[in-house]
Each structure stands twice: as C-alpha cells, then as structure tokens.
Amino acid sequence: MPIEMRVMLYNDQEVVAALASFYRKLGRPLTVGQIARYTVHNEDKITVSLAVETIDGEIVEHDISEADLAAAIIMQAIGAKIPLPAEADKRIVVIENQITLVIHKRRGKPDSGRVPGPRARPGARAEDAAREAR
C-alpha cells in the first residue's frame, strides 16, 4: 500500500506567529514585546523556549510544550487552508533546527480481511436478504 508523505518546514517567525495566534485563541496570550531569544529543544520531546522583552525591559520566559507546539502548527495550517487529511498521521520533527510538520497518509484502505456479504435493501427483512444471496 503506497504511503503519501508531506513535509512542511516552518521558519522561526512562522512558529512564533502560530504560537501567538494559538495562545490568543486559548485566552492566554503570550507576553507583548520583542522576541529576545527563540530556542528549539530536541531531546525526548520537542519544546520551544521563548524569551520576550517587554517595553519595560523585563524578560519573560515562555516554555512551549510539544503538544501546544503541534496544535499551534496544525491550527496555523488549517487557518491557511492547507489540506490536512483527518485520517493522516501528523507529527512535529526538527530538521536543520527548524520545526517541521510531517504528514503521513496511507493511500487506500488496508484490507480488513472481511468478505463483504449480501446487503439488505432498505426495509427488506432478513429472510428476503438471505433468499437474494442464494
């Protein structure tokens, strides 16, 4: 069964914009200010650290979980009307220190091993369906 795969690379600005939009929609907006530092951590889980410098010169740290990062990226793609098949596997990976959305979609349905039987007409009784199958 063929597998279709799409890869979408995001630059730092796109990731920050997706995160800002995501947290705003959650009602927990990121601190307003200038990004002082943006770091991608690719250990057991992929996380992002943002340091935002406020207008008062205060540095506010935001640690973004992998789940929130993935949700923000997927929400951004949906908002940009990029087709993301619901049945496809979606995951975040880091390629060349860039956040990347990988979408795997199996083409065609796997064989379940079931043999289709006779179908009853709407309103038909079970005896009628059995008789038609003979």
Side-chain angles (χ1 to χ4, degrees), residues 23-77:
Y23 283 113
R24 196 175 322 108
K25 285 191 179 192
L26 284 180
R28 302 182 339 222
L30 295 174
T31 305
V32 175
Q34 190 169 8
I35 303 296
R37 186 176 64 253
Y38 170 87
T39 309
V40 175
H41 305 281
N42 188 12
E43 287 124 26
D44 290 340
K45 293 190 180 240
I46 298 168
T47 59
V48 170
S49 296
L50 285 178
V52 180
E53 184 176 354
T54 67
I55 199 162
D56 300 328
E58 178 185 359
I59 300 289
V60 179
E61 296 279 340
H62 294 278
D63 292 320
I64 313 298
S65 70
E66 183 173 15
D68 283 358
L69 178 61
I73 294 296
I74 290 170
M75 187 183 88
Q76 183 276 339

Side-chain angles (χ1 to χ4, degrees), residues 11-21 30 35 38 50:
N11 66 35
D12 299 352
Q13 293 83 11
E14 291 170 324
V15 173
V16 171
L19 289 168
S21 177
L30 295 174
I35 303 296
Y38 170 87
L50 285 178

Side-chain angles (χ1 to χ4, degrees), residues 87-105:
E87 69 279 359
D89 294 326
K90 299 163 202 74
R91 62 190 172 105
I92 299 291
V93 298
V94 176
I95 299 175
E96 300 277 331
N97 205 34
Q98 281 189 291
I99 300 296
T100 307
L101 176 62
V102 178
I103 304 161
H104 284 106
K105 181 180 178 190

